[in-house]
Amino acid sequence: MTQEMTSNPPAFTVEHRDGWRLRTPGGEPFRSIGIVHADDTNLRYPHNLDIYRARYGGSRRRWLREGLIPEMTSWGFNTVGWTSEYVSGSGLSTEGRVVDLGHSEGLPPDELAGTGVPYTLSLRVAEIEHWNGVPAYRDPREPAFAQWCDHLARTLCRPDDPNLLGYFLVDVPCWGRHPTGAGYPVAELAAIAEAYYRVASEAIRRHDRHHLILGDRYGGRVGAPEPVLDAMASYVDVLSVQLFPGPEAGRLEAALDIVGRWHERTGRPVLIADTGNWCPTVMSPGRTGSFRNQRERGLAYAASADAFAERPWCLGWHWCSWLENPHRGFGLKDPWDEPYRDLTDVVTETNSRLGRLGL
């Protein structure tokens, strides 16, 4: 919610002056530089379970306390973003074909709250993800949708937690025609989207008056129809977007131009809620189509972060991902819990520089 809506809430706010920015509950300016898919499921595979047990005693709380949080903050990250991780299936549905990618539940809210750093929560109000091979396009105008949203909100909302940045809804929702052929009737899309965002936001506000509603995590390639953007703008605080534009010249700028137009249409500030790149690795030698090595990944991170920071509508960016697993195939750390130093050294310098400039 914007700062003008309430005085001194125990929550992060957004404000618009010379540009858009986040402010902490204490009123300090804040640029959210986050990590996405930081889930201990990535350390529970046969190839690294012994490492998880030896280093962290097989304990998620200990991994958070001794592994994730001190390491990510030392690299200049200040937010734990979306934590659900891609754990089954193949293909990342970037070409519009049908895939069915299983995802973990993500880190429990109580354990996220216990990290002591800003974090986000997700309320999966609908199963309409682009990567979901069995989507369920239920009508949000029906009472069952309101009941489901209220269940999620009263179960997951944490109204008194000053470290909670806000609430996401659905990951890469497919608001146009889904690759499976499913979808909402085009003629009713505006009314359906209005009901969806209104009912979901009302449920959150019944149980948490102050924390930001970060909305759906729109896919830059999947897109969002104009009626959906128009409906969203009335009910959420932040326009959340995922960008994976590829290494070709001009792709990043073209993607940001589209997001800039979405920002202008909605009037909402933007969080780059998921962005990343990859290269061939020992575990995933065929993971091509992005960069050649970890050093190139780092230089591309710096270029992307600089481009994000230059946009007056950008509140920050969240990097995908933490630790490489066999399905996603890329991360800041290798599958055996060791940093890709050629990448993380550049990331650390970039985050330190831009974190200071964001204040």
Side-chain angles (χ1 to χ4, degrees):
M1 65 191 304
T2 58
Q3 195 175 45
E4 294 78 14
M5 292 178 66
T6 187
S7 59
N8 301 317
F12 284 84
T13 55
V14 292
E15 69 171 15
H16 184 208
R17 294 184 181 176
D18 53 338
W20 288 91
R21 69 170 59 193
L22 288 161
R23 287 197 177 274
T24 68
E28 298 298 318
F30 182 79
R31 174 175 282 159
S32 182
I33 305 177
I35 289 291
V36 183
H37 309 301
D39 189 359
D40 70 320
T41 58
N42 291 327
L43 280 169
R44 294 176 182 266
Y45 286 90
H47 63 266
N48 57 21
L49 183 58
D50 287 346
I51 295 171
Y52 184 59
R53 290 170 174 166
R55 291 187 178 180
Y56 311 112
S59 165
R60 182 167 51 219
R61 292 181 186 273
R62 185 173 162 188
W63 168 71
L64 286 167
R65 184 178 65 251
E66 300 177 12
L68 175 65
I69 300 305
E71 202 158 27
M72 63 169 266
T73 54
S74 74
W75 295 343
F77 294 100
N78 58 26
T79 307
V80 179
W82 182 279
T83 61
S84 176
E85 177 61 297
Y86 164 33
V87 296
S88 67
S90 62
L92 286 170
S93 75
T94 59
E95 300 175 353
R97 63 189 180 90
V98 178
V99 296
D100 191 13
L101 308 182
H103 283 67
S104 68
E105 290 294 322
L107 300 180
D110 286 351
E111 295 185 22
L112 279 168
T115 64
V117 301
Y119 69 98
T120 67
L121 290 177
S122 58
L123 280 69
R124 190 188 184 194
V125 298
E127 299 172 14
I128 58 173
E129 301 92 349
H130 193 257
W131 47 258
N132 186 348
V134 285
Y137 282 86
R138 300 181 177 90
D139 194 332
R141 297 167 294 187
E142 294 294 328
F145 182 73
Q147 294 162 5
W148 175 245
C149 290
D150 194 74
H151 156 74
L152 291 175
R154 70 176 181 267
T155 303
L156 297 174
C157 283
R158 302 181 65 87
D160 300 320
D161 191 341
N163 285 327
L164 175 60
L165 185 67
Y167 303 102
F168 290 116
L169 299 179
V170 174
D171 181 51
V172 201
C174 191
W175 280 99
R177 183 60 56 186
H178 193 276
T180 61
Y184 291 120
V186 175
E188 300 179 54
L189 186 59
I192 288 172
E194 192 280 334
Y196 171 97
Y197 288 110
R198 173 175 48 79
V199 172
S201 65
E202 287 174 351
I204 292 171
R205 287 291 172 246
R206 273 194 297 275
H207 301 281
D208 186 340
R209 294 177 52 206
H210 298 308
H211 285 98
L212 296 170
I213 299 177
L214 305 173
D216 288 332
R217 290 158 34 95
Y218 296 131
R221 296 179 181 178
V222 176
E226 290 181 351
V228 173
L229 292 172
D230 294 343
M232 174 276 294
S234 298
Y235 297 106
V236 310
D237 300 298
V238 174
L239 168 62
S240 296
V241 180
Q242 304 189 45
L243 289 182
F244 294 82
E248 296 83 6
R251 291 284 294 274
L252 177 61
E253 292 298 316
L256 288 172
D257 285 347
I258 293 173
V259 176
R261 291 196 292 273
W262 290 0
H263 158 71
E264 291 175 3
R265 186 177 187 95
T266 63
R268 298 292 85 200
V270 177
L271 176 65
I272 306 298
D274 209 322
T275 187
N277 58 38
W278 52 87
C279 71
T281 65
V282 171
M283 173 169 277
S284 300
R287 196 77 169 89
T288 58
S290 188
F291 293 95
R292 293 176 297 179
N293 54 53
Q294 300 295 340
R295 175 68 178 175
E296 286 190 1
R297 289 186 69 202
L299 296 175
Y301 176 93
S304 295
D306 282 334
F308 300 151
E310 289 172 358
R311 268 58 183 185
W313 39 256
C314 184
L315 301 174
W317 55 91
H318 293 181
W319 181 254
C320 174
S321 59
W322 181 246
L323 190 144
E324 180 181 348
N325 76 19
H327 303 282
R328 184 172 300 281
F330 57 96
L332 288 164
K333 304 185 77 175
D334 71 18
W336 302 278
D337 200 37
E338 295 298 330
Y340 285 120
R341 288 294 181 189
D342 286 347
L343 168 62
T344 58
D345 286 351
V346 179
V347 166
T348 301
E349 186 282 326
T350 302
N351 289 348
S352 176
R353 173 171 54 84
L354 295 178
R356 292 193 304 270
L357 293 176
L359 300 181

